[in-house]
Amino acid sequence: MAVSACDTAAEPVAEGTKPAATEAAGPRAIDTPDCAPDGARAVVAGTDDDPTIVVTLGEGAEGIVFAPQSGADHCQWADELARYAGEGYRVASFAWSEDGAAAVEAAVDVLRGEGAEDVVLVGSSKGAGFVAGVADDLEPAPAGVIALSPGVEIEGVDATSANSAYTGPLLVIASETDGSIRASESRQVARADDPSTYVELPGGAHGVAIFTTDAGPQVIDQMDAFIAAAFAS
């Protein structure tokens, strides 16, 4: 981003004080990443100090935000963005900023700003922990939350249902022998008093790798049904 020169010198900051934090600006359009589906839009949201790149696609009032795994970004969810947008949803994914919770919230804000009235959160691994952990901080609350292989805590954010005020539709999916995040952890993100919020699959696939297993088609069908029901409720 180009910064124009100014004739007026900046006022010095007194020793021992910190500069004021940069305030969040409105989303700024940027070139769409090559990995994004045809027709996608891209913006930078959040503060200049810690921006979040958000990619959106589709139209309508029903929105879905897809949160990627650690080390991944919106490219990880490109196929799902295209498929769900084709089914009539307004969808978004993003690249992680330093503040993961703020990145999820920025993507939700962008999608709502484009016209989504209700939003379902979907996340994988790191993204799963964050969508479960921030669900009770969002206003209005998400229409639903899907968490693939979540841990109980991610970067200081508690994802457990026992410590969440979120009471909306929830679906947690884990693999029995996941070597990255144990199924026993993911089970704590689901609700102990509601078995329908937890699905445990055979094998050790983690996060989006679940889609490539024999159970993948079943999981996709479960997600589709959950999302449709969440928006209908």
Side-chain angles (χ1 to χ4, degrees), residues 3 17 20 28 36 46 51 60 65 71 74 79-80 84 86 88 100 124-125 132 140 154 158 190 202 205 215 219 224:
V3 179
T17 64
R28 291 90 72 194
V65 169
H74 42 77
D79 290 345
E80 285 71 24
Y84 282 101
S124 177
S125 191
I154 179 70
D158 188 336
V219 171
D224 289 351

Side-chain angles (χ1 to χ4, degrees), residues 175-192:
S175 294
E176 183 179 11
T177 57
D178 188 332
S180 298
I181 295 177
R182 291 175 297 177
S184 59
E185 287 194 44
S186 294
R187 193 178 295 113
Q188 294 179 61
V189 180
R191 296 180 183 130

Side-chain angles (χ1 to χ4, degrees), residues 5 13 18 42 66 88 96 108 117 123 152 210 227:
V13 177
K18 294 182 179 180
F66 293 88
W96 291 108
V108 171
E117 296 176 3
V152 296
I210 288 173
I227 290 169

Side-chain angles (χ1 to χ4, degrees), residues 1 16 28 36 47 61 68 92 109 131 148-149 163 166 170 178 182 189 195 217 224-226 228:
M1 179 184 301
R28 291 90 72 194
T47 67
D109 288 345
V131 298
L148 302 172
S149 307
N163 292 316
Y166 173 70
L170 173 67
D178 188 332
R182 291 175 297 177
V189 180
D224 289 351
F226 176 91

